[in-house]
Amino acid sequence: MTYSEENYLKTIYHLTSMTEEAVSTNAIAEKMDTKASSVTDMLKKLAEKDLVNYIKYQGVSLTENGKLAAKMIVRKHRLWETFLVEKLEFSWDEVHDVAEQLEHIKSEKLINKLDDFLGNPTEDPHGDPIPDAEGRIIKVEKRLLSELEKNQSGICVGVKDTSSDFLKYLDKQEIALGSQIAIIEKETFDNSFKIRVGSKELMISNKIASNLYIQ
Amino acid sequence: MTYSEENYLKTIYHLTSMTEEAVSTNAIAEKMDTKASSVTDMLKKLAEKDLVNYIKYQGVSLTENGKLAAKMIVRKHRLWETFLVEKLEFSWDEVHDVAEQLEHIKSEKLINKLDDFLGNPTEDPHGDPIPDAEGRIIKVEKRLLSELEKNQSGICVGVKDTSSDFLKYLDKQEIALGSQIAIIEKETFDNSFKIRVGSKELMISNKIASNLYIQ
DNA sequence: AATATTTTTTAGATGCGTCTAAAATAAACT
DNA sequence: AGTTTATTTTAGACGCATCTAAAAAATATT
Ligand SMILES: [Mn+2]
Ligand SMILES: [Mn+2]
Ligand SMILES: [Mn+2]
Ligand SMILES: [Mn+2]
């Protein structure tokens, strides 16, 4: 499989993992910052290889083959991110771009040895699950902070947005995976929140609260 | 720089590092298992980027830019090989192909952090020198085992041939980097050797002896 | 020096992944 | 239902890296 094919597969995987439905050509083009015509070309090729179910004008979904292949790429991405943070002292906002490259390295042995070296982690630095060698994912149920009510609390276990900007904001506010977060007040006007993180109190917008996973 | 450009650069580096002279189109084609016409195309492109000195029909050599770029690729290759052996329990005959992929990952930070993580090694698992971040190489003088005379001895510090076949042969004979090797007898007929490795004695062909570096 | 051989370059083609522009189809709106 | 708009596909082009076949240049042989 080529570098490009792998990127399409991964994108389709991420776009379909929420909805479970077929995804449109335009949605893929949007996400990958490319043109719809390029997407169409690639979908034909992936369909030819039995990696996607593709019917003209009707969108696309992954076959079982495609889904497993996509999971293996996600596995590699997240294991490399974990390696970079745990072993090479990268911060969680610096790892994504490098992992985008590393996820395409082809070696079963490498990735499985890396997995062992890292102690078979089940989650990456952003709290996202790491598929095992067979593609199994441990699903932990988690809610968005924005769904909590006043006086409820929980532990921050993940981020939805993994952009560098957002992650740096969290660093600045000293919010990290494992932080205890409690809702002190919920502002009905703009749906912003007053929260307590550890011993500190701060105000966060609804957008922030909608990108933090709590357990 | 593209994946392909990097591979050409590295090949030219290896071919010129011994002779110091310009290298021929055919020599590059041979080494890279490609056609001379493809090489010519690439040489034009590399010359355009001031990475090689190329004059039609007269062979090619690296510019200072090209040499530094090549060294950085070699640096990455050898650091990754070291990582695979030291941290992921690969054996020295398994690392080359994976390192061929990993050497193209683009991230200054990654490679320098990896270097630190490994303790800034100066040699890779095959005894080859690892250029530092500025491209400096620590030259250690070493001779081929085949150049030694009867009753001389030394420590095995490197291999010239790094093919899997050769490395596996060495494993079988329990010859490794650091092994003490002494010449017991030199057969004038076929230039083969009787040697002692540690406490064992064995016969090796001249071809074997010509691929072991001794210090 | 002339001829033959080898090496290297050029010319033209192919596959991959991308693009723009135009055509086809589907969806939304009177 | 007919028309407009949006989405998707097709057609044709381009850059990259490769190839084969032919031409050009360098080298070796007689
Ligand atoms: Mn990522
Ligand atoms: Mn991640
Ligand atoms: Mn190697
Ligand atoms: Mn090596």
Side-chain angles (χ1 to χ4, degrees), chain A residues 77-78 81 92 95-96 124-128 162:
Chain A
H77 183 100
R78 292 179 180 164
E81 284 190 343
W92 65 345
V95 297
H96 184 76
D124 83 355
H126 311 105
D128 291 315
T162 58

Side-chain angles (χ1 to χ4, degrees), chain B residues 2 4 8 34-35 37-38 41 45 57:
Chain B
T2 68
S4 189
Y8 274 93
T34 183
K35 302 296 167 181
S37 54
S38 304
D41 284 348
K45 207 194 314 179
Y57 293 104

Side-chain angles (χ1 to χ4, degrees), chain A residues 169-181:
Chain A
Y169 166 84
L170 295 178
D171 284 344
K172 200 169 60 192
Q173 304 295 350
E174 295 180 38
I175 300 171
L177 298 198
S179 295
Q180 174 85 30
I181 301 181

Side-chain angles (χ1 to χ4, degrees), chain A residues 13 36 52 69 77 90 101-102 147 163 188 194:
Chain A
Y13 175 76
V52 299
H77 183 100
F90 277 60
Q101 298 180 62
L102 287 164
E147 292 165 358
S163 71
T188 52
K194 188 179 194 182

Side-chain angles (χ1 to χ4, degrees), chain B residues 29-40:
Chain B
E30 169 95 2
K31 189 92 170 194
M32 298 188 70
D33 199 28
T34 183
K35 302 296 167 181
S37 54
S38 304
V39 175
T40 300

